[in-house]
Amino acid sequence: MATENQEKRELLKLKQGLIEDSEIIEVDKPHEKEELKGLAKLGNFWYHNKWYIIVAAFFIAVGSFLTYQLLAKEAADMRVLLVTSNAENTPELYRKTMDIELALEQYCPDFDKNGNVHVEVYYIDLTKDTPDSYYITVNNAKFFGEIDSGVAQMLICDTNIYTDPELSDEENKERFNSLFTDLAEVTGNESLSGTYTVKFKDTPLAAAANYENSAPEILVMGVKKESPNMISYSDKALEKNSQAREVMQNILNNNVINEKKQ
């Protein structure tokens, strides 16, 4: 066994490069890294990458769900706005959304020719006397966004959804009517000239929705007006407007073209 002095001398020679190897001092050599296989390799990969995998899996799951929802969503032949200026004056309106939708489908042709008739009804509450200012802002934005998009060309609403407190009753009535197409133009019946909406509860649609007895007197329906000076004005909007006129005529004439869905 080498003495301490011998080891020191041998170490000095190694440092000075006089010798490359020593029989007295053992130099530790790095161990070769053992290659992992099978479950051990998988476990090591999971240990180092698990958070990346979890986050990626989360986003894949969310993306898959949203894609499924989009593909599974029933394509709409027509969109109708169901609007109230004050939910207290139309207490059952939101609850009747599905009934009105199913009733409208009885009068709506299969415009997209996909073998299925579907009318989507968008309920919008424009109630202003609520402490939630965010709710008011969001719903107003939703309403005017729909008006400007030109997709929905039929409205079922109360007569106060488009009023200005600084205008007289007559001026507000004119302002409200400006949203709609003259029914004489819609139906070809000149006796309706100057009439822009019909009282909802007096239409066959109300009966089809089981709403003729409890529908508010202020609830009316009409076809949106499209003119070149409007943001919504486009070939697509005009096409939707023509379809809404056809459905309105079917309703007024009680021309049921589809059986009611159960």
Side-chain angles (χ1 to χ4, degrees):
M1 183 175 180
T3 65
E4 184 178 350
N5 287 333
Q6 287 176 320
E7 288 182 353
K8 287 181 178 179
R9 285 196 295 270
E10 199 77 359
L11 182 60
L12 183 61
K13 290 179 182 179
L14 286 169
K15 288 182 177 180
Q16 291 175 343
L18 298 177
I19 59 175
E20 294 182 357
D21 202 359
S22 172
E23 295 180 357
I24 298 176
I25 300 176
E26 294 184 5
V27 179
D28 291 335
K29 296 181 179 180
H31 295 287
E32 291 185 5
K33 190 174 181 180
E34 183 181 353
E35 184 179 353
L36 299 175
K37 295 181 180 179
L39 291 175
K41 185 175 183 179
L42 184 62
N44 183 64
F45 178 81
W46 170 256
Y47 176 79
H48 288 95
N49 299 281
K50 59 184 177 182
W51 289 113
Y52 298 106
I53 296 172
I54 290 171
V55 172
F58 171 77
F59 283 108
I60 291 172
V62 171
S64 299
F65 174 75
L66 293 177
T67 301
Y68 171 78
Q69 289 288 88
L70 182 63
L71 295 176
K73 185 180 179 181
E74 194 174 6
D77 294 277
M78 181 180 180
R79 181 181 298 173
V80 175
L81 301 184
L82 186 63
V83 192
T84 178
S85 65
N86 190 327
E88 289 187 2
N89 296 332
T90 54
E92 293 186 336
L93 192 57
Y94 178 73
R95 188 175 62 81
K96 297 297 293 186
T97 301
M98 183 56 67
D99 290 332
I100 292 173
E101 183 174 290
L102 293 174
L104 281 164
E105 289 173 355
Q106 296 180 66
Y107 299 94
C108 181
D110 183 11
F111 289 123
D112 59 13
K113 308 298 182 186
N114 69 347
N116 178 61
V117 174
H118 175 56
V119 176
E120 55 184 4
V121 176
Y122 281 11
Y123 175 82
I124 304 176
D125 180 5
L126 298 180
T127 301
K128 292 182 174 61
D129 56 347
T130 171
D132 191 344
S133 59
Y134 178 76
Y135 181 84
I136 296 173
T137 301
V138 167
N139 281 293
N140 271 281
K142 182 179 180 181
F143 174 67
F144 287 106
E146 287 294 333
I147 293 295
D148 290 342
S149 75
V151 177
Q153 292 289 333
M154 181 180 289
L155 282 79
I156 300 173
C157 59
D158 69 59
T159 55
N160 296 316
I161 66 166
Y162 196 51
T163 57
D164 185 334
E166 296 184 0
L167 299 178
S168 66
D169 289 346
E170 192 60 33
E171 288 172 325
N172 272 318
K173 181 179 179 181
E174 185 176 342
R175 188 170 190 257
F176 175 75
N177 286 338
S178 69
L179 287 173
F180 300 94
T181 305
D182 192 306
L183 286 177
E185 187 180 333
V186 173
T187 64
N189 183 351
E190 290 301 323
S191 68
L192 294 176
S193 180
T195 303
Y196 298 89
T197 59
V198 293
K199 190 175 292 187
F200 179 80
K201 71 180 305 178
D202 293 339
T203 67
L205 183 65
N210 298 315
Y211 199 27
E212 71 272 35
N213 295 324
S214 56
E217 291 287 336
I218 60 173
L219 201 63
V220 298
M221 65 182 300
V223 174
K224 183 174 176 282
K225 183 178 182 179
E226 287 291 339
S227 56
N229 64 327
M230 299 177 69
I231 295 175
S232 60
Y233 190 81
S234 66
D235 290 342
K236 189 66 176 178
L238 292 175
E239 179 187 0
K240 294 289 185 183
N241 187 268
S242 177
Q243 293 171 353
R245 294 183 187 205
E246 183 178 347
V247 174
M248 177 64 87
Q249 289 188 65
N250 285 341
I251 292 170
L252 296 180
N253 295 325
N254 199 21
N255 179 27
V256 176
I257 59 176
N258 303 303
E259 292 184 4
K260 187 174 182 178
K261 295 179 182 178
Q262 300 299 321

